[in-house]
Amino acid sequence: MDNSEHRSEEQSTSTSLTTMEPKAGLAKNEHGLEYVRLVSDDQKSYSDIYLYGGCVTSYVVDGVDYLFIRSDVTLDGSRTISGGLSHCWPQFGPGELQRHGFARNVNWTVASHTSTTLVLELRPNEYTKSMWDRNFLCTFTVTITNDKLDTSMKVENVGNYAFDIQAALHSYLSVSSIDALRIEGSWKNREFLNRLVGDNTLHVGEKLMETRDVITIEEPYDRIYCGVNDPVLKDVGRGKSLSILNTKGYVDTLIWNPYGNEEMGYKKFVCVESVKYDPVALEGGKSWIGDMSLVVSDIA
């Protein structure tokens, strides 16, 4: 081996070690957009959270990213980050405000952070007041541990007048292949709204009864399962399970996949979203909290 080959091997090894041992802290991407990286104590997992939209764009465990960013997304702040765990707030879907609300289209601020925990805040600004003049405080906390990623969204009414909210984490989850995916949960004999039937511009669709214990994706999906919040993704291609633990606030689940859409990369992701679909009325001084965790494990 000559010296140039030896240097090349050393550089490759160095790059590999850097990838294996990500550094926690505040950083900027190549477009100047700020994000915070959290790293687990055992150095085996990390997560990136962008201040723009308060969006969690990655959750990497043992070198595998369990979140998905669409290929048509440029992380430069020019448009919504379509991928990861993005916020639908204070509105879910279409309605009086822009689709899915404004929380994913504005910059959040860092309230505090350590190597394993980030706390972001969103308060009213001129942009939000122009469409929704309410006194609120949103606090989004992300914590990474050796075995899971915890998220908590707290919404406070800091004014004197009541307002209604919906909330969701628009969760893009990566898979080895959509054909290798099974989604387990309390689906059977539960009613769902198929929003691909009829006029869905105002959340009008067809209500049906689920007859399956396990959901597989073989057609375009846009279905809300009200009262179901215990999905588990079984990816036989990876031999891994991804459990979505909705422990507070999120009581519904939406499953979405643009099956057949090659440009969107339908084969490599599914959205299994944690949702509070029915509006919550918050009186002055009251709050709502949505807690969701992601847990990776081997398929038993």
Side-chain angles (χ1 to χ4, degrees), residues 6-297:
H6 183 65
R7 285 194 299 271
S8 177
E9 181 175 312
E10 287 181 333
Q11 290 169 354
S12 176
T13 302
S14 175
T15 301
S16 177
L17 288 173
T18 301
T19 302
M20 292 172 60
E21 300 177 1
K23 184 178 180 180
L26 180 65
K28 292 183 179 181
N29 70 5
E30 64 271 26
H31 302 291
L33 213 56
E34 289 186 310
Y35 67 94
V36 174
R37 174 164 291 183
L38 304 179
V39 181
S40 62
D41 289 334
D42 64 5
Q43 299 286 305
K44 293 183 178 180
S45 57
Y46 69 89
S47 179
D48 292 338
I49 305 98
Y50 275 77
L51 276 57
Y52 179 71
C55 184
V56 183
T57 58
S58 65
Y59 176 42
V60 177
V61 180
D62 293 327
V64 177
D65 197 342
Y66 287 86
L67 301 184
F68 181 87
I69 301 294
R70 281 176 20 193
S71 60
D72 59 344
V73 171
T74 301
L75 296 174
D76 60 2
S78 63
R79 56 175 293 187
T80 298
I81 299 175
S82 295
L85 308 178
S86 65
H87 297 283
C88 300
W89 191 86
Q91 176 181 291
F92 178 63
E96 294 182 2
L97 305 178
Q98 58 186 259
R99 185 176 181 85
H100 292 324
F102 52 74
R104 62 185 190 152
N105 297 323
V106 294
N107 285 309
W108 295 55
T109 59
V110 176
S112 65
H113 74 88
T114 66
S115 61
T116 58
T117 298
L118 170 67
V119 181
L120 295 176
E121 290 184 347
L122 178 64
R123 299 175 183 270
N125 56 43
E126 293 305 313
Y127 175 70
T128 66
K129 289 178 180 178
S130 69
M131 66 186 87
W132 201 67
D133 192 8
R134 307 291 189 273
N135 291 318
F136 65 86
L137 170 62
C138 291
T139 306
F140 185 53
T141 304
V142 183
T143 300
I144 195 168
T145 66
N146 292 347
D147 58 359
K148 61 179 176 174
L149 185 75
D150 296 323
T151 71
S152 181
M153 174 70 158
K154 182 178 182 180
V155 180
E156 298 176 72
N157 183 343
V158 295
N160 297 318
Y161 300 99
F163 55 73
D164 292 348
I165 62 164
Q166 293 172 294
L169 283 177
H170 198 330
S171 307
Y172 281 74
L173 307 173
S174 74
V175 297
S176 63
S177 170
I178 199 69
D179 299 324
L181 179 67
R182 307 192 315 268
I183 308 175
E184 299 181 356
S186 304
W187 315 112
K188 192 171 183 178
N189 297 325
R190 301 304 292 265
E191 189 175 73
F192 67 89
L193 178 66
N194 184 353
R195 300 201 300 177
L196 294 181
V197 177
D199 180 7
N200 70 357
T201 58
L202 296 175
H203 282 192
V204 175
E206 182 178 0
K207 289 186 176 180
L208 300 168
M209 191 69 66
E210 184 58 76
T211 60
R212 299 169 294 173
D213 291 307
V214 178
I215 291 176
T216 55
I217 308 295
E218 299 172 337
E219 61 181 320
Y221 253 69
D222 189 354
R223 302 181 183 185
I224 298 175
Y225 291 82
C226 292
V228 180
N229 67 347
D230 61 348
V232 179
L233 281 65
K234 298 288 184 74
D235 189 334
V236 298
R238 288 175 177 163
K240 295 291 185 179
S241 293
L242 181 66
S243 298
I244 302 172
L245 306 181
N246 295 301
T247 54
K248 182 181 291 186
Y250 298 119
V251 296
D252 313 308
T253 297
L254 182 141
I255 299 177
W256 181 79
N257 177 267
Y259 193 86
N261 190 321
E262 298 282 356
E263 289 186 7
M264 284 182 142
Y266 80 95
K267 292 181 181 179
K268 289 297 185 178
F269 80 93
V270 64
C271 287
V272 182
E273 306 177 25
S274 302
V275 181
K276 181 63 179 79
Y277 185 65
D278 289 334
V280 177
L282 285 185
E283 300 290 337
K286 299 298 183 179
S287 63
W288 174 89
I289 297 175
D291 290 344
M292 187 279 285
S293 299
L294 297 177
V295 180
V296 177
S297 60

